[in-house]
Amino acid sequence: MSEKVGESKRMRYLILGIATVAIWATCYSLYKPLPDGFTVSSWDRAVMHIVEPALRVAYYYPSHMFSKASSMVQWTRGALNFLSKSLGLLVNTHGEIEIKWQKWNGTPVKVYRPINNQTSTDGAVLFIHGGGFALGNVEMYDSLVRRMAYETKTLFISIEYRLSPETVFPGGIMDCEAAIEHFVEFGPAQFGIDTTKMVIMGDSAGANLATVIAQRRAARNATPKLAGQVLIYPLLQMSDLQTVSYRYFHSRLDGYALVDPESVAYYYMFYAGINMDEKAYLVPSVMSNGHVADHLKQEIDEMMEFEKTIEVTRRYKNSSIPQRWAVRKNLEAQQLMEPFLTNPDFSPLMRKDLSNLPQTMVVTCEFDVLRDEGLIYAHRLETAGVPTTTINYENGFHAMLNFHSELNEASNAVYDIERWTLNAINIVS
């Protein structure tokens, strides 16, 4: 009997040993050192050493196994929707926020309203989520919006617009505008708010939609005017995928589960209505700017002029920035993208007149391919006379606000955004 017991113990130890070795081998194979300056505190770096490999395993590696781009989108949606349920669990509104789904002009919205209308302002925030026009949803951003509604004691409206490739440009814009028009008409009676105190807010592709809507309202002198716009690491153009921040990604961040140039190309082209299951072969040309026709370059260069300043002033810690690589021209890509590259409803950085836009906060992050276009847009807004607050989080990365409960850097950014938003609402007389 004792021999059998001993044998059983040895077998358990053997299995435990094999499992331990397997776990360590897996961790070792997934380990990638974070760049200098990526997050600032020891806690944040420790968290990201766990989160980033988990994201690679959950969606980055699997998404590269699909032969169809649409299948990649579906997998990534599912993976991110699942993972997002584990974020923001520490957000506690203490029962002070009433949350309800409604449908406004056919567009679903989630309303975050302080209980008994105990608001600090009579304004409102219209929030548009990110996800490259193809990913994300209101639920994925629920903890962030709940937190901001609670901490600012302000009404938040989160808009569930339709996604590409099922709904292409300008479908998402139409959905958001339909919801906003409903709010303008019925918001004062339903919520007791002052519609002159509306701030529109979005992150990534949501920031694209937010500023497109702000631009369109300004162009037609729509009333009431927006009190402000908050653009969080905005996606604003696809004419130049060789900016400094794009080139740094290729040299130092390639292979990390962060927003990458290839994904930007895929998702933006999906949004343009291009069947990427059939046209995936165009992506390498787009990533080199080979999709930009010669006759568009002067107009684009004028809108991106501040890029030259970034080229000589922005440098990453202990990293050299590669020179621009050769453009791989592709006439098919040029023909397909020509209707979109200088269309400000698609690429809002290309809007020539920005002078009538509301006061703006632009948030950018150092470790983000979209950093430079956000900085360019902020500069153009300032040049046009728009009161603009620009914050570049030098230790931040794209989509970090989704980790607002887990990362100090992201939490601090939320506080900055809340302060600016309250000031924008309260400054309206």
Side-chain angles (χ1 to χ4, degrees):
M1 178 65 71
S2 60
E3 291 181 2
K4 290 183 178 180
V5 172
E7 183 68 25
S8 177
K9 285 184 177 180
R10 285 193 294 272
M11 183 60 67
R12 287 200 297 269
Y13 289 145
L14 177 61
I15 293 172
L16 180 61
I18 292 173
T20 301
V21 170
I23 291 171
W24 277 107
T26 300
C27 292
Y28 179 80
S29 65
L30 290 173
Y31 174 76
K32 290 169 72 75
L34 297 174
D36 290 345
F38 187 94
T39 68
V40 65
S41 70
S42 298
W43 169 259
D44 283 4
R45 288 184 72 84
V47 170
M48 288 310 298
H49 270 303
I50 297 171
V51 170
E52 192 278 326
L55 291 173
R56 268 186 278 141
V57 171
Y59 84 88
Y60 182 77
Y61 293 150
S63 67
H64 285 68
M65 297 169 59
F66 293 104
S67 58
K68 288 187 176 182
S70 58
S71 299
M72 173 189 69
V73 170
Q74 294 299 329
W75 175 273
T76 306
R77 281 181 186 173
L80 293 181
N81 289 344
F82 176 78
L83 290 172
S84 66
K85 298 182 188 303
S86 65
L87 300 176
L89 299 178
L90 300 179
V91 173
N92 187 351
T93 60
H94 303 282
E96 295 181 16
I97 300 296
E98 178 186 70
I99 303 174
K100 290 184 177 179
W101 279 99
Q102 298 186 14
K103 185 169 284 191
W104 295 349
N105 284 336
T107 300
V109 300
K110 199 170 187 180
V111 179
Y112 299 77
R113 183 183 190 182
I115 292 292
N116 299 322
N117 210 30
Q118 295 298 312
T119 61
S120 63
T121 74
D122 55 350
V125 177
L126 307 165
F127 184 85
I128 307 176
H129 71 79
F133 309 106
L135 310 173
N137 52 44
V138 164
E139 291 302 324
M140 189 178 296
Y141 287 77
D142 177 73
S143 70
L144 173 62
V145 178
R146 271 192 293 119
R147 171 182 171 174
M148 291 192 291
Y150 172 72
E151 292 181 346
T152 63
K153 292 182 170 55
T154 298
L155 177 71
F156 270 70
I157 309 297
S158 190
I159 303 174
E160 190 79 282
Y161 59 93
R162 292 169 295 168
L163 302 176
S164 64
E166 296 88 350
T167 300
V168 301
F169 171 82
I173 299 171
M174 300 296 101
D175 290 348
C176 293
E177 287 187 330
I180 292 170
E181 290 307 314
H182 175 99
F183 185 67
V184 168
E185 182 176 357
F186 300 105
Q190 185 176 359
F191 302 108
I193 59 99
D194 181 348
T195 54
T196 67
K197 297 182 178 182
M198 296 186 301
V199 170
I200 195 166
M201 179 186 297
D203 87 310
S204 194
N208 174 297
L209 298 173
T211 199
V212 164
I213 291 165
Q215 290 179 359
R216 286 160 63 94
R217 292 183 67 84
R220 66 176 187 271
N221 290 313
T223 55
K225 291 186 176 181
L226 294 169
Q229 60 173 344
V230 179
L231 311 179
I232 304 165
Y233 27 76
L235 172 62
L236 301 170
Q237 60 86 35
M238 72 167 302
S239 300
D240 189 358
L241 274 67
Q242 290 202 49
T243 63
V244 170
S245 51
Y246 268 100
R247 279 148 45 207
Y248 173 78
F249 188 99
H250 283 288
S251 68
R252 186 65 185 85
L253 295 175
D254 192 35
Y256 287 85
L258 301 170
V259 174
D260 61 285
E262 187 177 67
S263 293
V264 173
Y266 268 106
Y267 292 139
Y268 231 148
M269 294 172 80
F270 264 133
Y271 183 52
I274 298 170
N275 186 340
M276 296 308 292
D277 287 345
E278 298 178 355
K279 304 294 183 181
Y281 58 86
L282 298 176
V283 168
S285 294
V286 172
M287 289 168 61
S288 76
N289 297 339
H291 63 303
V292 182
D294 289 342
H295 66 275
L296 297 178
K297 289 181 179 178
Q298 181 176 349
E299 179 181 354
I300 290 169
D301 287 346
E302 289 175 1
M303 299 299 103
M304 304 266 304
E305 177 68 22
F306 189 66
E307 186 175 7
K308 296 177 182 176
T309 302
I310 294 174
E311 289 273 356
V312 297
T313 59
R314 293 279 176 175
R315 286 292 179 265
Y316 288 85
K317 299 174 183 176
N318 302 325
S319 296
S320 59
I321 308 300
Q323 295 297 313
R324 287 175 172 258
W325 47 88
V327 174
R328 299 171 58 179
K329 288 189 176 183
N330 186 293
L331 292 179
E332 182 182 8
Q334 291 177 9
Q335 292 169 355
L336 288 170
M337 294 308 302
E338 183 171 354
F340 303 101
L341 294 184
T342 58
N343 180 347
D345 286 353
F346 185 85
S347 303
L349 185 56
M350 297 299 130
R351 177 81 63 176
K352 291 182 172 61
D353 183 8
L354 303 177
S355 60
N356 199 31
L357 287 171
Q359 60 183 314
T360 303
M361 180 184 198
V362 178
V363 171
T364 59
C365 291
E366 194 76 352
F367 299 97
D368 179 12
V369 293
L370 306 183
R371 182 200 68 176
D372 292 359
E373 56 204 71
L375 294 175
I376 293 167
Y377 193 51
H379 174 77
R380 290 197 56 225
L381 288 166
E382 292 173 354
T383 303
V386 176
T388 305
T389 299
T390 308
I391 303 179
N392 180 58
Y393 293 93
E394 294 190 351
N395 306 104
F397 58 94
H398 193 88
M400 72 174 182
L401 260 64
N402 293 88
F403 304 94
H404 64 95
S405 287
E406 292 77 22
L407 299 176
N408 294 322
E409 184 87 351
S411 186
N412 292 336
V414 173
Y415 286 130
D416 291 338
I417 291 167
E418 290 174 344
R419 283 192 293 269
W420 188 95
T421 301
L422 284 175
N423 183 67
I425 291 173
N426 291 323
I427 204 171
V428 179
S429 58

